[in-house]
Amino acid sequence: MTELLDFLRSPWPWYVGGPLIGLTVPLLLWLGNKPFGISSNLRHACAILLPDRAKPGFFKYNWRAEKWNLMFAAGLVLGGFVAGVLLANPEPARLSAAGVRSIQELGVQVRPGLVPAELADPGNPGVWLLLAVSGLLVGFGTRYGGGCTSGHAITGLATLQGPSLIATVSFFAGGILSANLLLPLFLTVIR
């Protein structure tokens, strides 16, 4: 039993985790002709929670037909809880010396864990503002782009969709730009 727990607590190599995530796409298509994606659950949640008289037309649809997607998202949350709390590795995340140096050159403090110390201070109103603006931009981008990173990068690329390739390249370009230019700027502002 101890060996199994040690195995589950240890990081799995990319050649195990990657194919497991990737196999979700054909599995969902095979089992129920369902596309893999997460962001559509935000629409379902709004359709469930908003009162009918205040609900815009975008949220007036039969969300009950998408219960499978809500259950899938609930499974992701449950899996994250099991992996992050019940099977948590007590060792702090390790970064290479070059990775630590690269992050410090951006003006980000490195400590155990992967969240910059500046962004983990809930008493700083700048942190809340940054998170709110970031969430708004991600939500708008997801809606405007017709899907999130998982939908485009996993399902879209697996089904050879050209727009998903463009979206995925844009995600990575935006991530590189944000990490190297915007994050240091934001951290300077909220300090």
mmCIF file with all atom_site columns, all heavy atoms in Angstrom, residues 6 9 12 15 17 34 40 42 48 53-55 60 67 74 79 83-84 106-107 113 122 133 135 144-146 151 158:
data_model
loop_
_atom_site.group_PDB
_atom_site.id
_atom_site.type_symbol
_atom_site.label_atom_id
_atom_site.label_alt_id
_atom_site.label_comp_id
_atom_site.label_asym_id
_atom_site.label_entity_id
_atom_site.label_seq_id
_atom_site.pdbx_PDB_ins_code
_atom_site.Cartn_x
_atom_site.Cartn_y
_atom_site.Cartn_z
_atom_site.occupancy
_atom_site.B_iso_or_equiv
_atom_site.pdbx_formal_charge
_atom_site.auth_seq_id
_atom_site.auth_comp_id
_atom_site.auth_asym_id
_atom_site.auth_atom_id
_atom_site.pdbx_PDB_model_num
ATOM 1   N N   . ASP A 1 6   ? 3.259   6.085  -2.628  1.00 0.00 ? 6   ASP A N   1
ATOM 2   C CA  . ASP A 1 6   ? 4.471   6.758  -3.110  1.00 0.00 ? 6   ASP A CA  1
ATOM 3   C C   . ASP A 1 6   ? 4.407   6.974  -4.611  1.00 0.00 ? 6   ASP A C   1
ATOM 4   O O   . ASP A 1 6   ? 4.797   8.033  -5.117  1.00 0.00 ? 6   ASP A O   1
ATOM 5   C CB  . ASP A 1 6   ? 5.716   5.934  -2.749  1.00 0.00 ? 6   ASP A CB  1
ATOM 6   C CG  . ASP A 1 6   ? 6.030   5.977  -1.272  1.00 0.00 ? 6   ASP A CG  1
ATOM 7   O OD1 . ASP A 1 6   ? 5.519   6.892  -0.587  1.00 0.00 ? 6   ASP A OD1 1
ATOM 8   O OD2 . ASP A 1 6   ? 6.759   5.093  -0.797  1.00 0.00 ? 6   ASP A OD2 1
ATOM 9   N N   . ARG A 1 9   ? 1.950   9.816  -5.304  1.00 0.00 ? 9   ARG A N   1
ATOM 10  C CA  . ARG A 1 9   ? 2.444   11.118 -4.847  1.00 0.00 ? 9   ARG A CA  1
ATOM 11  C C   . ARG A 1 9   ? 3.602   11.637 -5.692  1.00 0.00 ? 9   ARG A C   1
ATOM 12  O O   . ARG A 1 9   ? 3.903   12.813 -5.665  1.00 0.00 ? 9   ARG A O   1
ATOM 13  C CB  . ARG A 1 9   ? 2.890   11.019 -3.385  1.00 0.00 ? 9   ARG A CB  1
ATOM 14  C CG  . ARG A 1 9   ? 1.743   10.926 -2.436  1.00 0.00 ? 9   ARG A CG  1
ATOM 15  C CD  . ARG A 1 9   ? 2.229   10.840 -1.010  1.00 0.00 ? 9   ARG A CD  1
ATOM 16  N NE  . ARG A 1 9   ? 1.093   10.897 -0.098  1.00 0.00 ? 9   ARG A NE  1
ATOM 17  C CZ  . ARG A 1 9   ? 1.081   10.320 1.091   1.00 0.00 ? 9   ARG A CZ  1
ATOM 18  N NH1 . ARG A 1 9   ? 2.136   9.673  1.511   1.00 0.00 ? 9   ARG A NH1 1
ATOM 19  N NH2 . ARG A 1 9   ? 0.022   10.418 1.849   1.00 0.00 ? 9   ARG A NH2 1
ATOM 20  N N   . TRP A 1 12  ? 4.410   12.238 -12.286 1.00 0.00 ? 12  TRP A N   1
ATOM 21  C CA  . TRP A 1 12  ? 4.448   11.284 -13.394 1.00 0.00 ? 12  TRP A CA  1
ATOM 22  C C   . TRP A 1 12  ? 5.181   11.936 -14.556 1.00 0.00 ? 12  TRP A C   1
ATOM 23  O O   . TRP A 1 12  ? 5.040   13.131 -14.793 1.00 0.00 ? 12  TRP A O   1
ATOM 24  C CB  . TRP A 1 12  ? 3.037   10.889 -13.822 1.00 0.00 ? 12  TRP A CB  1
ATOM 25  C CG  . TRP A 1 12  ? 2.297   10.101 -12.778 1.00 0.00 ? 12  TRP A CG  1
ATOM 26  C CD1 . TRP A 1 12  ? 2.724   9.777  -11.522 1.00 0.00 ? 12  TRP A CD1 1
ATOM 27  C CD2 . TRP A 1 12  ? 0.993   9.556  -12.901 1.00 0.00 ? 12  TRP A CD2 1
ATOM 28  N NE1 . TRP A 1 12  ? 1.767   9.063  -10.856 1.00 0.00 ? 12  TRP A NE1 1
ATOM 29  C CE2 . TRP A 1 12  ? 0.690   8.914  -11.680 1.00 0.00 ? 12  TRP A CE2 1
ATOM 30  C CE3 . TRP A 1 12  ? 0.055   9.545  -13.910 1.00 0.00 ? 12  TRP A CE3 1
ATOM 31  C CZ2 . TRP A 1 12  ? -0.513  8.268  -11.453 1.00 0.00 ? 12  TRP A CZ2 1
ATOM 32  C CZ3 . TRP A 1 12  ? -1.145  8.903  -13.696 1.00 0.00 ? 12  TRP A CZ3 1
ATOM 33  C CH2 . TRP A 1 12  ? -1.420  8.258  -12.483 1.00 0.00 ? 12  TRP A CH2 1
ATOM 34  N N   . TYR A 1 15  ? 5.555   11.588 -20.568 1.00 0.00 ? 15  TYR A N   1
ATOM 35  C CA  . TYR A 1 15  ? 5.103   10.581 -21.531 1.00 0.00 ? 15  TYR A CA  1
ATOM 36  C C   . TYR A 1 15  ? 4.014   9.680  -20.964 1.00 0.00 ? 15  TYR A C   1
ATOM 37  O O   . TYR A 1 15  ? 3.465   8.845  -21.673 1.00 0.00 ? 15  TYR A O   1
ATOM 38  C CB  . TYR A 1 15  ? 6.290   9.754  -22.059 1.00 0.00 ? 15  TYR A CB  1
ATOM 39  C CG  . TYR A 1 15  ? 7.171   9.162  -20.985 1.00 0.00 ? 15  TYR A CG  1
ATOM 40  C CD1 . TYR A 1 15  ? 6.836   7.969  -20.378 1.00 0.00 ? 15  TYR A CD1 1
ATOM 41  C CD2 . TYR A 1 15  ? 8.334   9.814  -20.589 1.00 0.00 ? 15  TYR A CD2 1
ATOM 42  C CE1 . TYR A 1 15  ? 7.650   7.424  -19.394 1.00 0.00 ? 15  TYR A CE1 1
ATOM 43  C CE2 . TYR A 1 15  ? 9.148   9.284  -19.605 1.00 0.00 ? 15  TYR A CE2 1
ATOM 44  C CZ  . TYR A 1 15  ? 8.801   8.091  -19.013 1.00 0.00 ? 15  TYR A CZ  1
ATOM 45  O OH  . TYR A 1 15  ? 9.597   7.564  -18.032 1.00 0.00 ? 15  TYR A OH  1
ATOM 46  N N   . GLY A 1 17  ? 1.573   11.307 -18.396 1.00 0.00 ? 17  GLY A N   1
ATOM 47  C CA  . GLY A 1 17  ? 0.492   12.267 -18.195 1.00 0.00 ? 17  GLY A CA  1
ATOM 48  C C   . GLY A 1 17  ? -0.057  12.826 -19.496 1.00 0.00 ? 17  GLY A C   1
ATOM 49  O O   . GLY A 1 17  ? -1.275  12.956 -19.658 1.00 0.00 ? 17  GLY A O   1
ATOM 50  N N   . LYS A 1 34  ? -18.871 13.564 -27.758 1.00 0.00 ? 34  LYS A N   1
ATOM 51  C CA  . LYS A 1 34  ? -18.775 14.806 -26.993 1.00 0.00 ? 34  LYS A CA  1
ATOM 52  C C   . LYS A 1 34  ? -17.397 15.425 -27.179 1.00 0.00 ? 34  LYS A C   1
ATOM 53  O O   . LYS A 1 34  ? -16.389 14.725 -27.106 1.00 0.00 ? 34  LYS A O   1
ATOM 54  C CB  . LYS A 1 34  ? -18.987 14.542 -25.493 1.00 0.00 ? 34  LYS A CB  1
ATOM 55  C CG  . LYS A 1 34  ? -20.261 13.800 -25.157 1.00 0.00 ? 34  LYS A CG  1
ATOM 56  C CD  . LYS A 1 34  ? -21.471 14.646 -25.411 1.00 0.00 ? 34  LYS A CD  1
ATOM 57  C CE  . LYS A 1 34  ? -22.722 13.938 -24.923 1.00 0.00 ? 34  LYS A CE  1
ATOM 58  N NZ  . LYS A 1 34  ? -23.928 14.566 -25.389 1.00 0.00 ? 34  LYS A NZ  1
ATOM 59  N N   . SER A 1 40  ? -16.981 25.973 -21.582 1.00 0.00 ? 40  SER A N   1
ATOM 60  C CA  . SER A 1 40  ? -18.433 26.001 -21.798 1.00 0.00 ? 40  SER A CA  1
ATOM 61  C C   . SER A 1 40  ? -19.200 25.778 -20.496 1.00 0.00 ? 40  SER A C   1
ATOM 62  O O   . SER A 1 40  ? -20.373 26.130 -20.392 1.00 0.00 ? 40  SER A O   1
ATOM 63  C CB  . SER A 1 40  ? -18.845 24.970 -22.846 1.00 0.00 ? 40  SER A CB  1
ATOM 64  O OG  . SER A 1 40  ? -18.398 23.695 -22.466 1.00 0.00 ? 40  SER A OG  1
ATOM 65  N N   . LEU A 1 42  ? -18.767 27.426 -17.809 1.00 0.00 ? 42  LEU A N   1
ATOM 66  C CA  . LEU A 1 42  ? -19.104 28.738 -17.259 1.00 0.00 ? 42  LEU A CA  1
ATOM 67  C C   . LEU A 1 42  ? -20.454 29.196 -17.809 1.00 0.00 ? 42  LEU A C   1
ATOM 68  O O   . LEU A 1 42  ? -21.270 29.773 -17.091 1.00 0.00 ? 42  LEU A O   1
ATOM 69  C CB  . LEU A 1 42  ? -18.013 29.750 -17.585 1.00 0.00 ? 42  LEU A CB  1
ATOM 70  C CG  . LEU A 1 42  ? -16.655 29.465 -16.943 1.00 0.00 ? 42  LEU A CG  1
ATOM 71  C CD1 . LEU A 1 42  ? -15.618 30.457 -17.444 1.00 0.00 ? 42  LEU A CD1 1
ATOM 72  C CD2 . LEU A 1 42  ? -16.771 29.524 -15.435 1.00 0.00 ? 42  LEU A CD2 1
ATOM 73  N N   . ILE A 1 48  ? -27.710 28.056 -15.313 1.00 0.00 ? 48  ILE A N   1
ATOM 74  C CA  . ILE A 1 48  ? -28.353 27.440 -14.153 1.00 0.00 ? 48  ILE A CA  1
ATOM 75  C C   . ILE A 1 48  ? -28.656 28.479 -13.083 1.00 0.00 ? 48  ILE A C   1
ATOM 76  O O   . ILE A 1 48  ? -29.749 28.491 -12.502 1.00 0.00 ? 48  ILE A O   1
ATOM 77  C CB  . ILE A 1 48  ? -27.433 26.334 -13.572 1.00 0.00 ? 48  ILE A CB  1
ATOM 78  C CG1 . ILE A 1 48  ? -27.307 25.183 -14.552 1.00 0.00 ? 48  ILE A CG1 1
ATOM 79  C CG2 . ILE A 1 48  ? -27.957 25.838 -12.236 1.00 0.00 ? 48  ILE A CG2 1
ATOM 80  C CD1 . ILE A 1 48  ? -26.214 24.192 -14.189 1.00 0.00 ? 48  ILE A CD1 1
ATOM 81  N N   . ARG A 1 53  ? -35.942 35.653 -15.731 1.00 0.00 ? 53  ARG A N   1
ATOM 82  C CA  . ARG A 1 53  ? -36.300 36.996 -16.199 1.00 0.00 ? 53  ARG A CA  1
ATOM 83  C C   . ARG A 1 53  ? -35.076 37.891 -16.398 1.00 0.00 ? 53  ARG A C   1
ATOM 84  O O   . ARG A 1 53  ? -35.139 38.854 -17.134 1.00 0.00 ? 53  ARG A O   1
ATOM 85  C CB  . ARG A 1 53  ? -37.294 37.653 -15.244 1.00 0.00 ? 53  ARG A CB  1
ATOM 86  C CG  . ARG A 1 53  ? -36.769 37.899 -13.866 1.00 0.00 ? 53  ARG A CG  1
ATOM 87  C CD  . ARG A 1 53  ? -37.840 38.571 -12.990 1.00 0.00 ? 53  ARG A CD  1
ATOM 88  N NE  . ARG A 1 53  ? -37.345 38.812 -11.657 1.00 0.00 ? 53  ARG A NE  1
ATOM 89  C CZ  . ARG A 1 53  ? -37.272 37.906 -10.685 1.00 0.00 ? 53  ARG A CZ  1
ATOM 90  N NH1 . ARG A 1 53  ? -37.704 36.682 -10.904 1.00 0.00 ? 53  ARG A NH1 1
ATOM 91  N NH2 . ARG A 1 53  ? -36.797 38.220 -9.498  1.00 0.00 ? 53  ARG A NH2 1
ATOM 92  N N   . ALA A 1 54  ? -33.966 37.581 -15.763 1.00 0.00 ? 54  ALA A N   1
ATOM 93  C CA  . ALA A 1 54  ? -32.751 38.379 -15.904 1.00 0.00 ? 54  ALA A CA  1
ATOM 94  C C   . ALA A 1 54  ? -31.737 37.727 -16.845 1.00 0.00 ? 54  ALA A C   1
ATOM 95  O O   . ALA A 1 54  ? -30.658 38.251 -17.050 1.00 0.00 ? 54  ALA A O   1
ATOM 96  C CB  . ALA A 1 54  ? -32.112 38.581 -14.533 1.00 0.00 ? 54  ALA A CB  1
ATOM 97  N N   . LYS A 1 55  ? -32.122 36.616 -17.442 1.00 0.00 ? 55  LYS A N   1
ATOM 98  C CA  . LYS A 1 55  ? -31.181 35.835 -18.240 1.00 0.00 ? 55  LYS A CA  1
ATOM 99  C C   . LYS A 1 55  ? -31.130 36.350 -19.677 1.00 0.00 ? 55  LYS A C   1
ATOM 100 O O   . LYS A 1 55  ? -32.157 36.370 -20.361 1.00 0.00 ? 55  LYS A O   1
ATOM 101 C CB  . LYS A 1 55  ? -31.636 34.378 -18.222 1.00 0.00 ? 55  LYS A CB  1
ATOM 102 C CG  . LYS A 1 55  ? -30.612 33.382 -18.644 1.00 0.00 ? 55  LYS A CG  1
ATOM 103 C CD  . LYS A 1 55  ? -31.162 31.971 -18.590 1.00 0.00 ? 55  LYS A CD  1
ATOM 104 C CE  . LYS A 1 55  ? -31.424 31.521 -17.168 1.00 0.00 ? 55  LYS A CE  1
ATOM 105 N NZ  . LYS A 1 55  ? -31.836 30.116 -17.093 1.00 0.00 ? 55  LYS A NZ  1
ATOM 106 N N   . LYS A 1 60  ? -30.181 31.254 -22.475 1.00 0.00 ? 60  LYS A N   1
ATOM 107 C CA  . LYS A 1 60  ? -31.467 30.561 -22.541 1.00 0.00 ? 60  LYS A CA  1
ATOM 108 C C   . LYS A 1 60  ? -31.346 29.389 -23.512 1.00 0.00 ? 60  LYS A C   1
ATOM 109 O O   . LYS A 1 60  ? -31.475 29.550 -24.734 1.00 0.00 ? 60  LYS A O   1
ATOM 110 C CB  . LYS A 1 60  ? -32.569 31.523 -22.983 1.00 0.00 ? 60  LYS A CB  1
ATOM 111 C CG  . LYS A 1 60  ? -32.865 32.604 -21.957 1.00 0.00 ? 60  LYS A CG  1
ATOM 112 C CD  . LYS A 1 60  ? -33.974 33.537 -22.429 1.00 0.00 ? 60  LYS A CD  1
ATOM 113 C CE  . LYS A 1 60  ? -34.238 34.585 -21.358 1.00 0.00 ? 60  LYS A CE  1
ATOM 114 N NZ  . LYS A 1 60  ? -35.249 35.569 -21.772 1.00 0.00 ? 60  LYS A NZ  1
ATOM 115 N N   . LYS A 1 67  ? -25.353 18.159 -19.055 1.00 0.00 ? 67  LYS A N   1
ATOM 116 C CA  . LYS A 1 67  ? -24.994 17.731 -17.693 1.00 0.00 ? 67  LYS A CA  1
ATOM 117 C C   . LYS A 1 67  ? -23.696 16.933 -17.676 1.00 0.00 ? 67  LYS A C   1
ATOM 118 O O   . LYS A 1 67  ? -22.945 16.981 -16.708 1.00 0.00 ? 67  LYS A O   1
ATOM 119 C CB  . LYS A 1 67  ? -26.125 16.900 -17.078 1.00 0.00 ? 67  LYS A CB  1
ATOM 120 C CG  . LYS A 1 67  ? -27.308 17.720 -16.616 1.00 0.00 ? 67  LYS A CG  1
ATOM 121 C CD  . LYS A 1 67  ? -28.298 16.899 -15.830 1.00 0.00 ? 67  LYS A CD  1
ATOM 122 C CE  . LYS A 1 67  ? -28.981 15.918 -16.714 1.00 0.00 ? 67  LYS A CE  1
ATOM 123 N NZ  . LYS A 1 67  ? -30.140 15.257 -16.094 1.00 0.00 ? 67  LYS A NZ  1
ATOM 124 N N   . ALA A 1 74  ? -16.814 18.646 -12.624 1.00 0.00 ? 74  ALA A N   1
ATOM 125 C CA  . ALA A 1 74  ? -16.820 18.263 -11.207 1.00 0.00 ? 74  ALA A CA  1
ATOM 126 C C   . ALA A 1 74  ? -15.763 17.189 -10.945 1.00 0.00 ? 74  ALA A C   1
ATOM 127 O O   . ALA A 1 74  ? -15.088 17.201 -9.907  1.00 0.00 ? 74  ALA A O   1
ATOM 128 C CB  . ALA A 1 74  ? -18.204 17.764 -10.792 1.00 0.00 ? 74  ALA A CB  1
ATOM 129 N N   . GLY A 1 79  ? -10.665 15.449 -8.782  1.00 0.00 ? 79  GLY A N   1
ATOM 130 C CA  . GLY A 1 79  ? -9.325  14.919 -9.041  1.00 0.00 ? 79  GLY A CA  1
ATOM 131 C C   . GLY A 1 79  ? -8.239  15.860 -8.551  1.00 0.00 ? 79  GLY A C   1
ATOM 132 O O   . GLY A 1 79  ? -7.227  15.417 -7.994  1.00 0.00 ? 79  GLY A O   1
ATOM 133 N N   . ALA A 1 83  ? -5.540  14.886 -5.737  1.00 0.00 ? 83  ALA A N   1
ATOM 134 C CA  . ALA A 1 83  ? -4.108  14.975 -6.037  1.00 0.00 ? 83  ALA A CA  1
ATOM 135 C C   . ALA A 1 83  ? -3.413  16.048 -5.211  1.00 0.00 ? 83  ALA A C   1
ATOM 136 O O   . ALA A 1 83  ? -2.276  15.852 -4.772  1.00 0.00 ? 83  ALA A O   1
ATOM 137 C CB  . ALA A 1 83  ? -3.914  15.247 -7.529  1.00 0.00 ? 83  ALA A CB  1
ATOM 138 N N   . GLY A 1 84  ? -4.093  17.191 -4.995  1.00 0.00 ? 84  GLY A N   1
ATOM 139 C CA  . GLY A 1 84  ? -3.444  18.311 -4.325  1.00 0.00 ? 84  GLY A CA  1
ATOM 140 C C   . GLY A 1 84  ? -3.530  18.291 -2.818  1.00 0.00 ? 84  GLY A C   1
ATOM 141 O O   . GLY A 1 84  ? -2.727  18.937 -2.142  1.00 0.00 ? 84  GLY A O   1
ATOM 142 N N   . LEU A 1 106 ? 13.172  38.429 -13.758 1.00 0.00 ? 106 LEU A N   1
ATOM 143 C CA  . LEU A 1 106 ? 11.919  39.125 -14.071 1.00 0.00 ? 106 LEU A CA  1
ATOM 144 C C   . LEU A 1 106 ? 11.411  39.938 -12.877 1.00 0.00 ? 106 LEU A C   1
ATOM 145 O O   . LEU A 1 106 ? 10.390  40.599 -12.962 1.00 0.00 ? 106 LEU A O   1
ATOM 146 C CB  . LEU A 1 106 ? 10.844  38.116 -14.484 1.00 0.00 ? 106 LEU A CB  1
ATOM 147 C CG  . LEU A 1 106 ? 11.095  37.364 -15.784 1.00 0.00 ? 106 LEU A CG  1
ATOM 148 C CD1 . LEU A 1 106 ? 10.059  36.271 -15.972 1.00 0.00 ? 106 LEU A CD1 1
ATOM 149 C CD2 . LEU A 1 106 ? 11.102  38.318 -16.963 1.00 0.00 ? 106 LEU A CD2 1
ATOM 150 N N   . GLY A 1 107 ? 12.132  39.864 -11.755 1.00 0.00 ? 107 GLY A N   1
ATOM 151 C CA  . GLY A 1 107 ? 11.727  40.606 -10.568 1.00 0.00 ? 107 GLY A CA  1
ATOM 152 C C   . GLY A 1 107 ? 10.754  39.845 -9.686  1.00 0.00 ? 107 GLY A C   1
ATOM 153 O O   . GLY A 1 107 ? 10.088  40.424 -8.837  1.00 0.00 ? 107 GLY A O   1
ATOM 154 N N   . GLY A 1 113 ? 6.878   26.487 -3.783  1.00 0.00 ? 113 GLY A N   1
ATOM 155 C CA  . GLY A 1 113 ? 5.619   26.659 -4.492  1.00 0.00 ? 113 GLY A CA  1
ATOM 156 C C   . GLY A 1 113 ? 5.876   27.422 -5.772  1.00 0.00 ? 113 GLY A C   1
ATOM 157 O O   . GLY A 1 113 ? 6.972   27.901 -6.017  1.00 0.00 ? 113 GLY A O   1
ATOM 158 N N   . PRO A 1 122 ? -3.228  38.315 0.083   1.00 0.00 ? 122 PRO A N   1
ATOM 159 C CA  . PRO A 1 122 ? -4.636  38.709 -0.062  1.00 0.00 ? 122 PRO A CA  1
ATOM 160 C C   . PRO A 1 122 ? -4.956  40.072 0.560   1.00 0.00 ? 122 PRO A C   1
ATOM 161 O O   . PRO A 1 122 ? -6.014  40.624 0.303   1.00 0.00 ? 122 PRO A O   1
ATOM 162 C CB  . PRO A 1 122 ? -5.396  37.588 0.660   1.00 0.00 ? 122 PRO A CB  1
ATOM 163 C CG  . PRO A 1 122 ? -4.401  37.021 1.621   1.00 0.00 ? 122 PRO A CG  1
ATOM 164 C CD  . PRO A 1 122 ? -3.056  37.213 1.008   1.00 0.00 ? 122 PRO A CD  1
ATOM 165 N N   . VAL A 1 133 ? -8.939  41.735 -13.258 1.00 0.00 ? 133 VAL A N   1
ATOM 166 C CA  . VAL A 1 133 ? -8.710  42.124 -14.663 1.00 0.00 ? 133 VAL A CA  1
ATOM 167 C C   . VAL A 1 133 ? -8.245  40.916 -15.464 1.00 0.00 ? 133 VAL A C   1
ATOM 168 O O   . VAL A 1 133 ? -8.696  40.694 -16.601 1.00 0.00 ? 133 VAL A O   1
ATOM 169 C CB  . VAL A 1 133 ? -7.684  43.281 -14.740 1.00 0.00 ? 133 VAL A CB  1
ATOM 170 C CG1 . VAL A 1 133 ? -7.258  43.532 -16.181 1.00 0.00 ? 133 VAL A CG1 1
ATOM 171 C CG2 . VAL A 1 133 ? -8.273  44.547 -14.135 1.00 0.00 ? 133 VAL A CG2 1
ATOM 172 N N   . GLY A 1 135 ? -8.905  37.742 -14.885 1.00 0.00 ? 135 GLY A N   1
ATOM 173 C CA  . GLY A 1 135 ? -10.051 36.860 -15.085 1.00 0.00 ? 135 GLY A CA  1
ATOM 174 C C   . GLY A 1 135 ? -10.992 37.386 -16.157 1.00 0.00 ? 135 GLY A C   1
ATOM 175 O O   . GLY A 1 135 ? -11.511 36.618 -16.975 1.00 0.00 ? 135 GLY A O   1
ATOM 176 N N   . TYR A 1 144 ? -14.646 35.084 -26.963 1.00 0.00 ? 144 TYR A N   1
ATOM 177 C CA  . TYR A 1 144 ? -14.358 35.642 -28.285 1.00 0.00 ? 144 TYR A CA  1
ATOM 178 C C   . TYR A 1 144 ? -13.679 34.615 -29.187 1.00 0.00 ? 144 TYR A C   1
ATOM 179 O O   . TYR A 1 144 ? -13.954 34.550 -30.379 1.00 0.00 ? 144 TYR A O   1
ATOM 180 C CB  . TYR A 1 144 ? -13.474 36.886 -28.134 1.00 0.00 ? 144 TYR A CB  1
ATOM 181 C CG  . TYR A 1 144 ? -13.305 37.681 -29.382 1.00 0.00 ? 144 TYR A CG  1
ATOM 182 C CD1 . TYR A 1 144 ? -14.353 38.449 -29.887 1.00 0.00 ? 144 TYR A CD1 1
ATOM 183 C CD2 . TYR A 1 144 ? -12.098 37.670 -30.069 1.00 0.00 ? 144 TYR A CD2 1
ATOM 184 C CE1 . TYR A 1 144 ? -14.193 39.181 -31.051 1.00 0.00 ? 144 TYR A CE1 1
ATOM 185 C CE2 . TYR A 1 144 ? -11.928 38.404 -31.232 1.00 0.00 ? 144 TYR A CE2 1
ATOM 186 C CZ  . TYR A 1 144 ? -12.983 39.162 -31.719 1.00 0.00 ? 144 TYR A CZ  1
ATOM 187 O OH  . TYR A 1 144 ? -12.825 39.882 -32.869 1.00 0.00 ? 144 TYR A OH  1
ATOM 188 N N   . GLY A 1 145 ? -12.804 33.791 -28.603 1.00 0.00 ? 145 GLY A N   1
ATOM 189 C CA  . GLY A 1 145 ? -12.079 32.794 -29.380 1.00 0.00 ? 145 GLY A CA  1
ATOM 190 C C   . GLY A 1 145 ? -12.828 31.489 -29.564 1.00 0.00 ? 145 GLY A C   1
ATOM 191 O O   . GLY A 1 145 ? -12.338 30.569 -30.190 1.00 0.00 ? 145 GLY A O   1
ATOM 192 N N   . GLY A 1 146 ? -14.007 31.384 -28.989 1.00 0.00 ? 146 GLY A N   1
ATOM 193 C CA  . GLY A 1 146 ? -14.800 30.184 -29.166 1.00 0.00 ? 146 GLY A CA  1
ATOM 194 C C   . GLY A 1 146 ? -14.274 28.977 -28.404 1.00 0.00 ? 146 GLY A C   1
ATOM 195 O O   . GLY A 1 146 ? -14.547 27.840 -28.783 1.00 0.00 ? 146 GLY A O   1
ATOM 196 N N   . GLY A 1 151 ? -9.781  23.355 -24.891 1.00 0.00 ? 151 GLY A N   1
ATOM 197 C CA  . GLY A 1 151 ? -10.631 23.058 -26.046 1.00 0.00 ? 151 GLY A CA  1
ATOM 198 C C   . GLY A 1 151 ? -9.877  23.179 -27.355 1.00 0.00 ? 151 GLY A C   1
ATOM 199 O O   . GLY A 1 151 ? -9.963  22.304 -28.227 1.00 0.00 ? 151 GLY A O   1
ATOM 200 N N   . ALA A 1 158 ? -6.283  17.980 -31.954 1.00 0.00 ? 158 ALA A N   1
ATOM 201 C CA  . ALA A 1 158 ? -6.465  16.544 -32.179 1.00 0.00 ? 158 ALA A CA  1
ATOM 202 C C   . ALA A 1 158 ? -7.391  16.273 -33.359 1.00 0.00 ? 158 ALA A C   1
ATOM 203 O O   . ALA A 1 158 ? -7.270  15.243 -34.020 1.00 0.00 ? 158 ALA A O   1
ATOM 204 C CB  . ALA A 1 158 ? -7.007  15.877 -30.919 1.00 0.00 ? 158 ALA A CB  1
#
